[in-house]
C-alpha cells in the first residue's frame, strides 16, 4: 500500500486543484503538446478530475503517442519525444505490456551498434535509455530488457573518465550548448542531474539495487559517488555544487533546480543511499541546505518542473514523504505557494502559467519538463494520496532512508 500523504490542505489545496483543472481544460484541446507528456498527465489527472473529457483526452493522447512511434523517431533521448521517452511512457502506463518487447529489441540494437544519440547523459543519452530499461524491469519486462540494461552499464563503463577522485563522464564541446563551445573547446564535466554525473549515479544506484544485486553498476556507482562528493565547493548562500567543471576554468555556479544545482544532486545522492545502504549524510545535509536557503538565492524565474518553483516544491515533497522531516514539509508548502503565486489567469500562459524564455520573455509552454503539464503533475502530487510514480522518469522517486544510514 502507498504511504503517500497529501501535503497541502485548506485554501492552498483548493487553489492547487483549481489550477490543475485550468491546466487540464487547456491541454484537453491543445494537441500540439507532446503526446507522451499529455499521456502521462491524463493518466494521473483523469482519476482526480472525474470528468468525461479527461478520459477522452487520455485516449486521444495515447493514440497520438502510438502514431508518433509508428511515424519514426529520429533520436533516442528520454525527453523531448525521443524513442526511450516514448517507450518509457508506454511501459509506465500499460504496465509492462508484452508488445513492448519490440521497443526493447530496437533499443538493444541501438546500444549494441553505438547508435544512441546525445552522449552519456540522462536527458538525451545512454543513461536515459537505461532508465527506459529499468522501467521495463519494474513493470514486468524480461530478458531483453535485462540485456539492454547490462549493455547500457557496460557502455557507460567504457566511456567513463578516471580521475584522482573517482570516475566521471566528459561532455564534448559538440554536445554542450552552442554558447559553451568557445568557452570549453575541450569539453567539460557536468555536475547536473539532467546532463551530468549525478544523473548517472542515480541510474546506477537503481540498477545496482535489482534483486540479484549485479556488481558492475555498484562498482561504477561507488566510484562516481566519490567524484560527485569531491566537487562540493565551499559553503555559499547560492549552493555548493557547481553546474560544471572544466580544466583551467573556475567552477560555474548553478541555480537551484532539478536539472542543475543542489536539489538535483541531493535527490540523486538520497536515492543511492536509500537503495544501496551507503551513508546518507551528504544527501541529507545537501537537501537541508536546499530546504532552508533564502528563495532569492535560488535563481528561480518561473514555475517549470525542470528549473522552477514546482520542481523545487516537488523535490522537497519527496524528501518529506521519505523522511517525515517537517523542514522539508514546510519548504515544500512554501514553494507550492510560490508556484501558485506565479499564476496569472489573464496572461497568455496555460492555465495561468507562463514560462520565462530569456530574450523572448514570458511564453506559454505545455511540456512536462518546461511547462504546464509538469506544473500540473507536481500540484497533483501535493493534493492526492497517489504516489507520483511518473517521476521515476526524472529519477526523483526516493524511498525511505534506512535507519542508521
Amino acid at each position: 500500500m502507498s504511504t503517500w500523504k497529501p501535503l497541502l490542505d485548506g485554501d492552498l489545496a483548493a487553489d492547487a486543484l483549481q489550477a490543475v483543472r485550468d491546466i487540464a481544460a487547456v491541454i484537453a484541446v491543445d494537441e500540439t503538446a507532446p503526446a507522451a507528456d499529455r499521456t502521462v498527465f491524463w493518466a494521473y489527472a483523469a482519476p482526480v478530475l472525474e470528468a468525461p473529457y479527461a478520459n477522452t483526452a487520455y485516449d486521444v493522447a495515447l493514440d497520438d503517442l502510438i502514431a508518433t512511434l509508428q511515424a519514426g523517431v529520429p533520436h533516442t533521448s528520454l525527453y523531448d519525444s525521443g524513442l526511450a521517452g516514448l517507450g518509457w511512457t508506454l511501459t509506465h502506463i500499460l504496465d509492462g505490456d508484452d508488445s513492448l518487447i519490440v521497443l526493447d529489441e530496437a533499443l538493444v540494437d541501438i546500444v549494441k551498434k553505438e547508435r544512441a544519440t546525445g552522449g552519456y547523459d540522462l536527458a538525451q543519452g545512454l543513461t536515459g535509455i537505461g532508465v527506459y530499461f529499468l522501467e521495463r524491469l519494474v513493470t514486468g519486462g524480461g530478458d531483453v530488457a535485462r540485456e539492454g540494461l547490462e549493455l547500457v552499464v557496460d557502455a557507460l563503463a567504457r566511456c567513463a573518465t578516471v580521475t584522482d577522485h573517482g570516475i566521471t563522464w566528459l561532455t564534448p564541446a559538440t554536445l554542450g550548448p552552442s554558447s559553451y563551445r568557445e568557452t570549453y573547446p575541450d569539453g567539460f564535466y557536468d555536475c547536473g542531474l539532467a546532463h551530468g554525473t549525478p544523473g548517472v549515479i542515480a541510474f546506477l544506484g537503481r540498477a545496482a539495487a535489482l534483486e540479484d544485486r549485479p556488481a558492475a553498476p555498484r562498482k561504477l556507482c561507488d566510484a562516481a559517488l566519490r567524484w560527485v562528493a569531491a566537487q562540493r565547493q565551499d559553503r555559499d548562500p547560492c549552493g555548493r555544487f557547481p553546474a560544471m567543471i572544466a580544466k583551467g576554468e573556475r567552477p560555474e555556479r548553478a541555480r537551484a533546480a532539478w536539472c542543475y544545482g543542489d536539489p538535483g544532486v541531493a535527490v540523486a545522492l538520497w536515492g543511492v543511499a536509500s537503495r544501496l545502504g551507503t551513508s546518507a549524510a551528504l544527501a541529507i545535509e545537501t537537501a537541508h541546505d536546499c530546504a532552508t536557503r533564502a528563495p532569492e538565492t535560488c535563481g528561480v524565474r518561473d514555475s517549470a518542473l525542470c528549473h522552477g518553483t514546482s520542481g523545487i516544491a516537488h523535490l522537497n515533497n519527496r524528501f518529506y514523504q521519505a523522511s517525515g522531516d517537517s523542514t522539508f514539509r514546510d519548504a515544500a508548502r512554501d514553494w507550492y505557494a510560490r508556484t501558485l503565486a506565479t499564476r496569472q489567469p489573464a496572461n497568455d500562459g496555460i492555465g495561468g502559467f507562463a514560462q520565462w524564455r530569456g530574450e523572448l520573455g514570458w511564453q506559454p509552454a505545455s511540456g512536462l519538463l518546461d511547462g504546464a503539464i509538469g506544473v500540473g503533475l507536481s500540484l497533483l502530487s501535493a493534493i492526492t494520496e497517489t504516489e507520483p510514480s511518473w517521476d521515476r522518469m526524472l529519477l526523483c522517486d526516493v524511498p525511505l532512508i534506512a535507519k542508521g544510514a
Side-chain angles (χ1 to χ4, degrees):
M1 292 181 62
S2 173
T3 58
W4 193 265
K5 298 183 178 75
L7 178 84
L8 304 180
D9 53 21
D11 290 344
L12 205 54
D15 290 347
L17 178 58
Q18 186 58 54
V20 172
R21 292 188 185 280
D22 291 345
I23 290 169
V26 178
I27 297 299
V29 296
D30 179 14
E31 295 181 14
T32 64
D37 295 358
R38 282 186 282 131
T39 303
V40 173
F41 176 76
W42 292 116
Y44 285 84
V48 176
L49 299 177
E50 297 182 337
Y53 83 86
N55 295 321
T56 300
Y58 171 80
D59 292 338
V60 170
L62 182 55
D63 287 345
D64 289 347
L65 170 54
I66 293 170
T68 301
L69 270 172
Q70 292 173 336
V73 183
H75 56 96
T76 59
S77 65
L78 184 62
Y79 310 135
D80 300 324
S81 299
L83 186 59
L86 297 176
W88 188 96
T89 301
L90 279 176
T91 198
H92 184 67
I93 63 169
L94 298 180
D95 198 20
D97 191 297
D98 287 343
S99 65
L100 292 169
I101 194 171
V102 176
L103 271 174
D104 295 349
E105 292 170 343
L107 284 166
V108 162
D109 189 59
I110 285 168
V111 177
K112 278 184 176 179
K113 295 179 179 178
E114 298 184 350
R115 293 177 178 171
T117 57
Y120 73 89
D121 74 2
L122 170 66
Q124 299 168 331
L126 281 167
T127 299
I129 296 174
V131 170
Y132 163 77
F133 286 125
L134 276 178
E135 190 69 13
R136 285 287 285 138
L137 291 171
V138 165
T139 56
D143 292 342
V144 180
R146 181 58 185 244
E147 180 189 8
L149 186 76
E150 292 172 352
L151 285 168
V152 169
V153 172
D154 180 63
L156 287 170
R158 285 187 281 109
C159 67
T161 299
V162 179
T163 77
D164 292 341
H165 300 294
I167 64 169
T168 185
W169 286 265
L170 179 71
T171 300
T174 53
L175 288 181
S178 58
S179 60
Y180 289 169
R181 291 175 189 174
E182 184 174 340
T183 306
Y184 307 117
D186 297 323
F188 55 89
Y189 298 106
D190 199 298
C191 300
L193 178 61
H195 297 291
T197 301
V200 183
I201 65 171
F203 158 70
L204 291 171
R206 286 160 174 78
L210 293 172
E211 286 187 4
D212 60 354
R213 299 284 176 180
R218 177 62 189 261
K219 183 178 179 180
L220 278 179
C221 187
D222 287 345
L225 273 172
R226 294 196 299 274
W227 185 88
V228 170
Q231 306 319 307
R232 190 167 67 153
Q233 307 296 302
D234 293 338
R235 187 171 293 278
D236 186 281
C238 294
R240 301 188 67 175
F241 284 93
M244 60 196 60
I245 302 286
K247 185 177 180 179
E249 299 287 340
R250 185 176 181 178
E252 181 175 324
R253 287 290 182 184
R255 58 187 169 188
W258 165 81
C259 57
Y260 279 99
D262 289 13
V265 174
V267 81
L269 295 172
W270 192 306
V272 171
S274 58
R275 289 178 173 86
L276 302 186
T278 58
S279 172
L282 182 56
I284 294 173
E285 180 183 343
T286 304
H288 264 276
D289 283 349
C290 300
T292 56
R293 66 190 286 186
E296 60 269 18
T297 69
C298 293
V300 174
R301 293 294 298 269
D302 59 29
S303 57
L305 188 64
C306 173
H307 50 259
T309 57
S310 70
I312 298 178
H314 184 70
L315 291 182
N316 276 294
N317 192 12
R318 268 293 184 183
F319 296 146
Y320 168 62
Q321 302 282 348
S323 67
D325 188 329
S326 61
T327 300
F328 300 125
R329 178 198 63 204
D330 295 345
R333 287 176 175 170
D334 178 67
W335 281 106
Y336 276 120
R338 292 176 183 277
T339 298
L340 292 168
T342 69
R343 185 169 178 248
Q344 300 294 330
N347 71 16
D348 292 330
I350 295 176
F353 294 99
Q355 308 302 327
W356 180 250
R357 292 291 182 268
E359 294 180 357
L360 298 176
W362 294 95
Q363 299 286 320
S366 58
L368 188 151
L369 280 179
D370 67 346
I373 285 175
V375 176
L377 286 170
S378 178
L379 291 170
L380 278 171
S381 73
I383 59 176
T384 70
E385 295 181 347
T386 301
E387 183 171 0
S389 298
W390 53 264
D391 69 359
R392 289 203 293 259
M393 192 182 196
L394 308 182
L395 300 181
C396 295
D397 53 315
V398 290
L400 293 171
I401 287 282
K403 290 184 178 179

